[in-house]
């Protein structure tokens, strides 16, 4: 019944328009190398806040997220340059298929696999979300504190190549999140005598600086290194939806296996789509009956990773909607959008705003159908998008970002802060400091502080509350264990008597 009421919410012309705009923009940014969903939502956040329609806005943002997952396969297959990190595995076999004159087949198995995975994983989200929200009602302040610690530590440990760099990024995010007046003591913190900082740094300013300005400036510095040759599309061949009977036979099992991998990985605190895509690629390679094709264009190497990629998106929404915990940079930006509409994701959201939650979940089904229609018949349009002059594109993004920050705050100081954060973000990317821990620190840091103080207040300042409550203790122990998770491949190799320098990690663009 809840899901049916959600369809009643989304099947209005206004919300259908929001969904259509979201998936179209999402596909567009997924196609363009370097412009991910986090950057796009950050760019549109100042505009969306003026709409005063939380349901429509969040439906649009979810469409952007899902569309970017779809669109990333196009640039991976035709340009061998993934639009976002989760499409890296797709490019290995997809680009080889395109070079061998099978670009349409690669794009078709990616689009249809994304549709299958997106639909199944959304059904799983609908079944899992409500029970998990009921469980979350039993969480106390100490549990939420431990959960925030677990999310931040796991993402920090798993993102990038260095734990030290990740912790430094997290510290920077916590610093930004704590600027302003302390709500408990009334003391100014880290304001450096600047009156405009007494209310803290606006989350939109931080997000636009980190993603829109920082990412754009970083890409602009590397324009000469980006490939310009787009593999042409071959004439349409025989078969349904550009896939032969053999292609269908070899694709449907990887679609299902990729879905089974992507959804649970997305729901984990590390929340990445990159790990399940590579796990799917490795699994399909081991199971393949055509080992000679791997490295030369095996269709299973496109079908499985793309399904895992899109299934992980629905998984990311599980902790975001039920616990209010973002497990990726894009989810953190979406959480900020919830906050701007005075909505707090978590168990209370299902009770106070059921129409919004179930409308958002129902919109994912509608968005999947729209994305399938966008990505197969209109593929020639997306190929032409790859030929947009890059200097013009990135200049426009910077102008739009500047106007957006000024429109929200009306303060030139905020514009200056956004560009300062943007320049810092450029250097962070240049020296491989991950960005995801920064935004998680900004958003989860203040929440973690409030829950820590609340737990101590309820326990009469007894710190043992964090070890006496079993759930809190388990979550904190998991956070400690997460620090060693990246070194798991080395440990397994050592147990088996082999040498290994491999480190379990993923990019922070998801």
């Amino acid at each position: 019944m809840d899901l049916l009421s959600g369809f009643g919410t989304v099947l209005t012309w206004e919300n259908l328009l929001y969904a259509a705009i979201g998936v179209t923009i999402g596909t567009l940014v997924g196609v363009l190398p370097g412009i991910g969903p986090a950057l796009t939502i950050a760019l549109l956040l100042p505009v969306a806040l003026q709409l005063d329609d939380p349901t429509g806005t969040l439906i649009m943002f979810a469409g952007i997220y899902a569309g970017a997952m779809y669109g990333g396969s196009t640039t991976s297959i035709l340009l061998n340059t993934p639009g976002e990190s989760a499409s890296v595995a797709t490019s290995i076999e997809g680009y080889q298929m395109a070079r061998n004159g099978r670009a349409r087949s690669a794009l078709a198995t990616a689009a249809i696999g994304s549709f299958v995975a997106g639909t199944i994983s959304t059904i799983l989200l609908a079944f899992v979300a409500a029970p998990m929200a009921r469980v979350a009602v039993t969480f106390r302040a100490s549990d939420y504190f431990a959960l925030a610690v677990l999310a931040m530590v796991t993402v920090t440990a798993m993102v990038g190549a260095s734990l030290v760099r990740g912790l430094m990024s997290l510290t920077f995010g916590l610093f930004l999140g704590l600027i302003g007046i302390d709500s408990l003591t009334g003391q100014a913190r880290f304001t450096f005598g600047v009156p405009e900082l007494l209310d803290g740094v606006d989350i939109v300013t931080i997000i636009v600086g980190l993603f829109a300005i920082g990412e754009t400036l970083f890409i602009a510095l590397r324009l000469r290194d980006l490939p310009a040759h787009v593999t042409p599309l071959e004439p349409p061949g025989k078969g349904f939806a550009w896939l032969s009977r053999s292609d269908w036979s070899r694709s449907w099992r990887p679609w299902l296996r990729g879905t089974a991998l992507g959804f649970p990985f997305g729901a984990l605190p590390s929340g990445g789509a990159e790990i399940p895509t590579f796990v799917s690629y490795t699994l399909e390679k081991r199971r393949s009956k055509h080992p000679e094709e791997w490295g030369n264009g095996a269709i299973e190497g496109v079908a499985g990773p793309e399904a895992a990629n899109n299934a992980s998106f629905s998984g990311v929404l599980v902790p975001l909607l039920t616990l209010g915990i973002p497990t990726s940079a894009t989810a953190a930006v979406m959480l900020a959008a919830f906050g701007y509409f005075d909505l707090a994701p978590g168990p209370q959201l299902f009770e106070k705003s059921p129409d919004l939650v179930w409308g958002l979940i129902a919109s994912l089904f509608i968005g999947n159908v729209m994305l399938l229609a966008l990505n197969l018949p209109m593929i020639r349009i997306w190929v032409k998008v790859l030929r947009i002059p890059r200097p013009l594109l990135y200049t426009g993004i910077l102008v739009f970002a500047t106007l957006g920050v000024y429109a929200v705050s009306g303060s030139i100081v905020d514009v200056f802060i956004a560009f300062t954060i943007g320049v810092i973000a450029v250097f962070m990317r240049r020296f491989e400091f991950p960005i995801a821990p920064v935004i998680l620190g900004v958003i989860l840091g203040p929440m973690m502080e409030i829950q820590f103080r609340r737990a101590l207040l309820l326990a009469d300042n007894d710190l043992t509350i964090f070890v006496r409550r079993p759930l809190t203790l388990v979550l904190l122990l998991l956070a400690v264990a997460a620090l060693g998770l990246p070194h798991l491949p080395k440990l397994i190799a050592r147990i088996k008597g082999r040498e290994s320098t491999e480190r379990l990690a993923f990019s922070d663009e998801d």
Side-chain angles (χ1 to χ4, degrees):
M1 286 298 294
D2 290 326
L3 187 58
L4 288 177
S5 68
F7 277 107
T9 300
V10 77
L11 290 175
T12 62
W13 73 266
E14 297 99 331
N15 288 332
L16 287 174
L17 180 61
Y18 276 119
I21 292 171
V23 297
T24 304
I25 294 175
T27 303
L28 174 66
V29 302
V31 167
L32 293 169
I35 304 181
L39 185 156
T40 310
I41 296 174
L43 204 59
L44 291 176
L45 200 53
V47 178
L49 298 179
Q50 309 303 318
L51 298 176
D52 198 28
D53 182 2
T55 302
T57 301
L58 293 168
I59 286 173
M60 180 176 69
F61 285 169
I64 290 172
Y65 200 163
M69 295 293 192
Y70 267 75
S73 63
T74 302
T75 183
S76 297
I77 292 167
L78 299 181
L79 200 61
N80 198 26
T81 306
E84 34 88 32
S85 64
S87 296
V88 172
T90 302
S91 67
I92 299 172
E93 300 298 327
Y95 184 62
Q96 294 303 320
M97 287 183 70
R99 290 185 63 188
N100 294 334
R102 302 194 63 212
R104 287 183 185 270
S105 296
L107 291 167
T109 194
I112 298 171
S114 296
F115 172 77
V116 170
T119 302
I120 295 174
S121 61
T122 304
I123 293 172
L124 292 174
L125 170 64
F127 278 103
V128 169
M132 192 164 179
R134 286 194 289 271
V135 172
V137 172
T138 64
F139 277 35
R140 296 181 183 175
S142 61
D143 301 328
Y144 273 108
F145 165 77
L147 192 62
V149 172
L150 175 61
M152 288 194 294
V153 169
T154 306
V155 173
T156 301
M158 294 288 288
V159 169
S162 167
L163 176 60
V164 174
R165 290 192 183 100
L167 290 172
M168 291 176 70
S169 294
L170 178 62
T171 302
F172 178 52
L174 291 171
F175 163 74
L176 291 176
L178 296 177
I179 291 175
I181 294 178
D182 185 342
S183 58
L184 186 66
T185 65
Q187 294 294 315
R189 300 189 296 193
F190 308 122
T191 58
F192 307 106
V194 180
E196 287 83 358
L197 293 180
L198 290 173
D199 291 330
V201 181
D202 195 288
I203 188 65
V204 172
T205 301
I206 296 173
I207 289 172
V208 171
L210 283 174
F211 294 104
I213 296 174
E215 184 73 26
T216 303
L217 290 175
F218 181 66
I219 295 171
L221 293 173
R222 298 164 54 239
L223 278 178
R224 293 181 181 178
D225 300 330
L226 296 176
H229 175 69
V230 180
T231 306
L233 291 174
E234 76 279 7
K238 296 180 180 179
F240 178 68
W242 302 340
L243 293 175
S244 66
R245 181 175 295 180
S246 173
D247 291 336
W248 280 98
S249 176
R250 293 174 59 180
S251 294
W252 71 270
R253 291 181 184 86
W255 291 337
L256 296 179
R257 285 192 289 264
T259 304
L261 287 169
F263 182 79
F265 265 101
L268 292 174
S270 55
E274 193 174 88
I275 292 176
T277 56
F278 275 102
V279 171
S280 175
Y281 180 87
T282 304
L283 177 64
E284 297 306 327
K285 187 175 182 179
R286 288 180 178 176
R287 296 179 61 94
S288 178
K289 297 178 181 178
H290 308 275
E292 72 283 354
E293 292 187 14
W294 288 84
N296 298 304
I299 195 168
E300 297 91 339
V302 178
E306 272 304 297
N309 179 17
N310 283 270
S312 69
F313 163 62
S314 298
V316 165
L317 290 181
V318 174
L320 178 65
L321 293 177
T322 60
L323 299 170
I325 299 294
T327 57
S328 70
T330 310
V333 178
M334 288 187 66
L335 181 61
F338 274 97
Y340 253 91
F341 290 112
D342 293 325
L343 296 168
Q348 301 301 322
L349 187 67
F350 284 77
E351 297 177 4
K352 295 180 179 178
S353 305
D355 290 344
L356 184 149
V357 175
W358 291 105
L360 179 62
I361 293 174
S363 75
L364 301 180
F365 289 102
I366 306 297
N368 266 315
V369 176
M370 291 179 174
L371 283 166
L372 191 62
L374 277 173
N375 278 269
L376 283 180
M378 300 176 64
I379 187 59
R380 289 192 176 276
I381 295 176
W382 304 120
V383 172
K384 290 180 180 178
V385 166
L386 288 170
R387 297 187 170 93
I388 294 176
R390 304 291 171 78
L392 183 65
L393 175 68
Y394 297 128
T395 301
I397 290 174
L398 283 178
V399 172
F400 197 75
T402 305
L403 293 175
V405 171
Y406 189 77
V408 169
S409 64
S411 169
I412 197 67
V413 173
D414 279 5
V415 175
F416 176 77
I417 292 172
F419 271 87
T420 302
I421 293 173
V423 171
I424 292 172
V426 171
F427 283 99
M428 290 179 67
R429 288 176 170 89
R430 170 66 181 81
F431 295 104
E432 299 182 352
F433 284 82
I435 300 298
V438 179
I439 192 63
L440 287 181
V442 169
I443 292 175
L444 291 183
M447 184 269 276
M448 185 176 68
E449 181 190 25
I450 290 171
Q451 299 296 350
F452 179 79
R453 286 176 163 178
R454 184 175 296 166
L456 286 181
L457 187 64
L458 294 173
D460 293 328
N461 293 322
D462 183 4
L463 285 171
T464 61
I465 185 64
F466 298 105
V467 294
R468 283 192 286 110
R469 183 164 165 78
L471 180 57
T472 305
L473 180 60
V474 168
L475 291 172
L476 290 175
L477 289 175
L478 287 174
V480 174
L483 292 173
L485 199 59
H487 303 288
L488 191 60
K490 292 181 185 179
L491 181 61
I492 293 173
R494 183 170 296 179
I495 292 173
K496 293 181 177 180
R498 299 198 310 263
E499 289 294 326
S500 174
T501 58
E502 186 180 358
R503 185 181 187 275
L504 189 61
F506 62 89
S507 174
D508 63 344
E509 299 168 8
D510 304 311

